[in-house]
Amino acid sequence: MADLSDESMALTRRGDPGINTSASFTQQGTVDWTRLAGGGFSVSLDIVRRISSAGLEPFTVAVAQQICRSLPLGPAGEKRLQECLSQLRSFSSFGDMIWLGFGVRHILRTLVQTSEGASAVALCASLTEVHSPEVSTLVMIELAKRHKTPVDLMPSFVQWQTFIEACGGVLKPSSFALKVQMILALSRPKKNPIYGHEYHVSLPSDMAEVLEGVAKLRSGTLRRITVIGGPACAWLAVFVDWILGLAVQVRAEDDTVIYSNFDEKRHSAQVIVKFNENGEELGLKQIEETFALRNGNSLIMRQLAPGRQNYELLRLNNCVPWETALTSTFGRKAANLLHGNKGWYLLQAISAAGDALADGKCHEQGLRYGQGGVRRGAFLVNAQRWFPELQQLPDIGETFMCTPIPEEPSARYEYFMQALRASCECRFCQQDTTAVGGNHGDVCSLALALMICLVSHELAQLEMETNLSPTASGLWYLYERIQDLLKRPFVEQVTVVLEKLFNGLIITDEPDPLKHSMWLFSILFAGFRFRSLIDVDIDQVVAVAEAGICIYSGVLLGLIDRYDLVGKIHITAGVIGIGAKHYEHISCAPFSKELETNTEQLSIWTSSDINPVLSRRPKELEIELMVDVLHRLAAGYCVSNKDARFWINPWRFVTKTLPAASKHTKYELLL
């Protein structure tokens, strides 16, 4: 078996030396599968280990490379892909046992060294930027079918999804998803300015047919193609423009040109994209050079979620810029909330919520704002940091208020929230019980205000290692959950919601605050809940990774006595890995009983009741991060010196021990 260097990843076939070692496409984009299947593969053992450790079969990578070979990247697209890869970072846990992000030995760094490998990575990464991993997987399966992949060579659904998720996150440092949202925003008809909540995914078979048409365009078989459809057209326009470098023109439903990337006086479009919300009514067949992207919601639900309603699969998870996150997601209703009396009510409500937190009623929640806890005004400053639109809120004074404004923060908060409710025009706030159904144009000012408080409060503990933007679908999801909470009969006063907010229970009744925060961040930045966070059999989670996004607790980086540092939640593009093997989560249980000796002795960690041996000689401590990969990836700290040995559960330390200890006297630094 020949030894190939890491720099030349292409899975090569044993065959005639005069033939290209990778199975070749004809100009029409077909693959000689017989020759591919008949030859063996020669690849270095190191690369085989990387592929297998990532849960992939070598043939899955080979098939992906071959079907994507007819979609070569444009020079600008290849440069953008390399720039994204150069920005992807890796972070090591304490003791360098676990890496979080994209390590130097990640399989993607080798795949992109060949043209077909780079094409496969770019296509899969582009799909997962706005689609769920499951829908992206169906598109790749349909694309493989269109290339007539034999049944005995076709990777399974699980293999395709593993490859899709291995590529996910590569484009997170880029503006790809933001550009998709920009095209969607330009296509919005004035009669319906709100698209953030839309559930509209095109048929995977239609997506594959269009991609095959693009391949024929690249090979010269076709000179121009026209694609008609719904929101998925925005993804296609950005993919062929930003990744493939083709001349694209985008037209709204009324045939107005809303975007083009070329000089229309000198050149003509290679791809024309037309928005048509009735795409499902268009014909099945290709009409000359025109393709239809039909609504695939029903088919996808039948295939991926039979018998249940998992609408997260149907979201297009477009990102919106932080600078205009509210108005880009919720349209003019959010813009109205930021001005006039409503804007002042919102400003005062956010400020009062922070003052209530600063009063010390929720000490642990306040610690995320600094070692001394939240100070008056810090809550509002943090909210304005994440949502710059809030900096425009007017401070018009209290002269127009008809009733006295309470001084006590909680009462003041409730007062202005009730003022927002009174000025809101939605059916719930107007108590219109006769209305049936929902009108997404009726954005509730009260629910939107609470969503801003919730998200900005959670973001106060976030350390963003990769610059990520929120998804419009994630913001809508959180808004709708709060709106449902407000509609429950027992919620008579918004102070109930405030208490839930400060206890991390406003969205779910999840008793684990760390898991709740990770759950919220997965929705906000990925648009859906990570599998590890909704699995009831998985608890005490300190890190999760899915769809190219890794979320982990600062407790994995070391044991220190600062809750405002250890309690930070970090987020980056990438995966969880040990060596070349990837994991979906890190938990702190179960662990072998031999290692969990004396766990309960550290249930309350203060300088007064810590074991005297450890508190007297902290400089002599030896700290190790122990990892158990027997069943699941579990981690825990072993702290010892010559006299004693203790086991510290990282999850318990950050959620129970350290918050309780922060109320007492300061204690020694462990690390």
Side-chain angles (χ1 to χ4, degrees):
M1 181 175 289
D3 185 20
L4 301 180
S5 67
D6 288 353
E7 284 69 29
S8 57
M9 161 58 194
L11 294 175
T12 57
R13 182 183 61 82
R14 288 197 188 96
D16 299 333
I19 300 175
N20 189 317
T21 53
S22 296
S24 58
F25 275 76
T26 66
Q27 283 192 340
Q28 285 71 34
T30 60
V31 183
D32 188 346
W33 294 109
T34 303
R35 291 173 60 190
L36 180 64
F41 283 99
S42 176
V43 66
S44 70
L45 289 176
D46 179 64
I47 293 176
V48 171
R49 280 195 296 267
R50 295 194 201 182
I51 294 174
S52 60
S53 295
L56 289 167
E57 294 292 335
F59 234 99
T60 301
V61 179
V63 172
Q65 289 183 138
Q66 300 316 309
I67 66 174
C68 292
R69 194 179 179 194
S70 59
L71 293 169
L73 306 185
E78 187 171 338
K79 181 180 178 182
R80 290 180 178 122
L81 180 62
Q82 293 296 336
E83 287 175 349
C84 288
L85 286 167
S86 67
Q87 294 179 51
L88 297 174
R89 302 169 59 194
S90 176
F91 303 88
S92 298
S93 69
F94 178 75
D96 298 329
M97 288 292 296
I98 305 169
W99 56 269
L100 308 130
F102 283 97
V104 294
R105 298 180 65 79
H106 194 286
I107 186 63
L108 292 184
R109 299 193 185 277
T110 309
L111 271 174
V112 297
Q113 299 303 317
T114 63
S115 174
E116 60 266 36
S119 296
V121 171
L123 174 58
C124 294
S126 299
L127 284 168
T128 56
E129 276 295 281
V130 297
H131 298 87
S132 68
E134 293 84 357
V135 171
S136 303
T137 299
L138 290 179
V139 174
M140 292 301 294
I141 290 174
E142 292 294 334
L143 188 60
K145 289 179 180 177
R146 296 199 68 84
H147 283 82
K148 297 181 173 56
T149 307
V151 175
D152 58 336
L153 297 182
M154 175 70 81
S156 66
F157 182 93
V158 173
Q159 276 291 296
W160 275 121
Q161 185 169 351
T162 301
F163 184 78
I164 283 283
E165 294 192 349
C167 299
V170 173
L171 298 181
K172 291 299 179 186
S174 75
S175 59
F176 184 93
L178 291 173
K179 290 182 179 295
V180 174
Q181 177 62 23
M182 181 197 73
I183 297 294
L184 269 180
L186 292 173
S187 71
R188 293 174 181 175
K190 295 181 180 179
K191 60 184 180 181
N192 183 13
I194 301 171
Y195 260 75
H197 63 287
E198 287 294 322
Y199 305 104
H200 188 136
V201 177
S202 293
L203 280 171
S205 57
D206 287 353
M207 296 277 286
E209 185 178 8
V210 170
L211 289 171
E212 186 182 43
V214 173
K216 292 178 180 179
L217 189 68
R218 295 304 300 263
S219 68
T221 305
L222 295 177
R223 294 184 59 189
R224 176 188 297 172
I225 65 171
T226 299
V227 182
I228 304 174
C233 283
W235 173 86
L236 178 68
V238 177
F239 176 72
V240 298
D241 170 22
W242 205 76
I243 298 294
L244 301 185
L246 300 177
V248 60
Q249 182 186 83
V250 183
R251 299 178 183 177
E253 197 165 351
D254 61 1
D255 215 34
T256 303
V257 176
I258 58 177
Y259 176 80
S260 65
N261 63 350
F262 60 93
D263 186 347
E264 297 181 9
K265 295 180 179 179
R266 297 184 178 182
H267 305 282
S268 59
Q270 295 172 286
V271 180
I272 297 176
V273 177
K274 293 183 179 181
F275 279 90
N276 185 337
E277 288 306 306
N278 295 318
E280 66 273 11
E281 298 177 3
L282 299 173
L284 277 169
K285 297 182 180 179
Q286 174 184 348
I287 306 172
E288 296 180 351
E289 300 169 3
T290 301
F291 300 85
L293 287 177
R294 296 164 293 166
N295 191 322
N297 289 3
S298 299
L299 176 67
I300 289 171
M301 289 293 282
R302 286 198 304 270
Q303 289 186 337
L304 298 179
R308 57 193 177 92
Q309 294 181 333
N310 185 3
Y311 292 108
E312 294 179 17
L313 295 172
L314 306 180
R315 290 194 180 98
L316 287 179
N317 301 312
N318 313 312
C319 290
V320 291
W322 286 108
E323 292 77 11
T324 59
L326 300 176
T327 52
S328 295
T329 303
F330 300 97
R332 59 182 177 84
K333 293 289 185 178
N336 293 340
L337 180 61
L338 301 176
H339 298 90
N341 292 354
K342 286 185 180 180
W344 188 69
Y345 297 154
L346 178 61
L347 175 68
Q348 297 301 319
I350 295 175
S351 179
D355 292 344
L357 185 62
D359 280 351
K361 295 181 179 179
C362 303
H363 175 77
E364 297 172 17
Q365 294 287 316
L367 287 173
R368 66 183 60 177
Y369 294 89
Q371 187 174 4
V374 63
R375 295 175 175 82
R376 288 183 179 271
F379 190 90
L380 177 60
V381 170
N382 176 70
Q384 292 175 330
R385 171 198 171 198
W386 291 102
F387 295 103
E389 292 162 289
L390 298 180
Q391 297 174 12
Q392 306 171 13
L393 294 178
D395 191 359
I396 57 180
E398 307 175 3
T399 55
F400 67 95
M401 301 301 294
C402 300
T403 57
I405 299 176
E407 294 294 332
E408 197 274 326
S410 295
R412 187 180 179 90
Y413 162 84
E414 180 182 339
Y415 177 90
F416 283 107
M417 281 297 188
Q418 294 292 6
L420 272 177
R421 170 176 286 182
S423 64
C424 182
E425 300 174 359
C426 78
R427 289 193 299 271
F428 170 70
C429 291
Q430 295 300 320
Q431 298 181 346
D432 183 1
T433 58
T434 61
V436 179
N439 179 3
H440 290 293
D442 291 338
V443 177
C444 176
S445 298
L446 185 62
L448 190 56
L450 285 168
M451 189 276 295
I452 293 171
C453 287
L454 166 68
V455 174
S456 58
H457 178 60
E458 290 292 341
L459 287 170
Q461 64 181 327
L462 184 69
E463 196 71 31
M464 195 176 292
E465 308 294 356
T466 301
N467 289 328
L468 302 178
S469 299
T471 60
S473 58
L475 289 170
W476 261 105
Y477 182 93
L478 297 172
Y479 161 81
E480 289 175 340
R481 290 297 294 266
I482 294 175
Q483 192 177 37
D484 291 340
L485 178 66
L486 290 172
K487 291 178 180 178
R488 296 177 188 175
F490 69 85
V491 180
E492 298 295 338
Q493 296 182 344
V494 291
T495 49
V496 176
V497 181
L498 180 64
E499 293 174 4
K500 285 180 171 286
L501 168 67
F502 288 159
N503 286 284
L505 299 173
I506 195 169
I507 297 299
T508 69
D509 293 329
E510 173 61 60
D512 182 343
L514 182 56
K515 192 174 183 179
H516 173 272
S517 296
M518 291 181 173
W519 185 91
L520 185 142
F521 292 143
S522 71
I523 292 173
L524 183 63
F525 293 105
F528 59 91
R529 298 169 295 173
F530 289 0
R531 291 185 294 266
S532 300
L533 298 175
I534 57 178
D535 189 337
V536 294
D537 295 328
I538 301 175
D539 57 1
Q540 298 188 15
V541 176
V542 291
V544 290
E546 193 173 330
I549 295 178
C550 178
I551 308 171
Y552 59 98
S553 169
V555 73
L556 289 175
L557 305 181
L559 289 175
I560 60 176
D561 65 351
R562 292 275 301 277
Y563 180 82
D564 58 311
L565 297 179
V566 176
K568 286 286 186 183
I569 296 178
H570 300 249
I571 186 167
T572 187
V575 298
I576 300 168
I578 295 182
K581 187 171 179 57
H582 301 167
Y583 297 86
E584 287 190 348
H585 68 274
I586 303 174
S587 64
C588 298
F591 225 99
S592 56
K593 293 298 180 182
E594 292 76 11
L595 292 174
E596 288 193 347
T597 54
N598 299 323
T599 301
E600 296 303 322
Q601 293 189 37
L602 299 180
S603 59
I604 299 296
W605 185 279
T606 69
S607 57
S608 58
D609 56 10
I610 186 176
N611 185 282
V613 175
L614 299 184
S615 61
R616 282 200 307 268
R617 290 191 289 272
K619 302 301 182 184
E620 301 174 10
L621 294 179
E622 180 180 349
I623 303 176
E624 299 175 276
L625 181 64
M626 311 293 289
V627 175
D628 186 352
V629 294
L630 183 60
H631 302 293
R632 295 171 174 171
L633 178 55
Y637 282 102
C638 179
V639 181
S640 62
N641 61 15
K642 63 180 182 180
D643 299 316
R645 184 171 182 264
F646 291 90
W647 178 257
I648 297 180
N649 181 313
W651 174 86
R652 184 186 298 275
F653 183 80
V654 75
T655 61
K656 306 290 185 181
T657 303
L658 201 53
S662 64
K663 296 181 181 180
H664 305 287
T665 57
K666 293 302 294 178
Y667 42 91
E668 298 280 359
L669 196 68
L670 282 181
L671 178 62

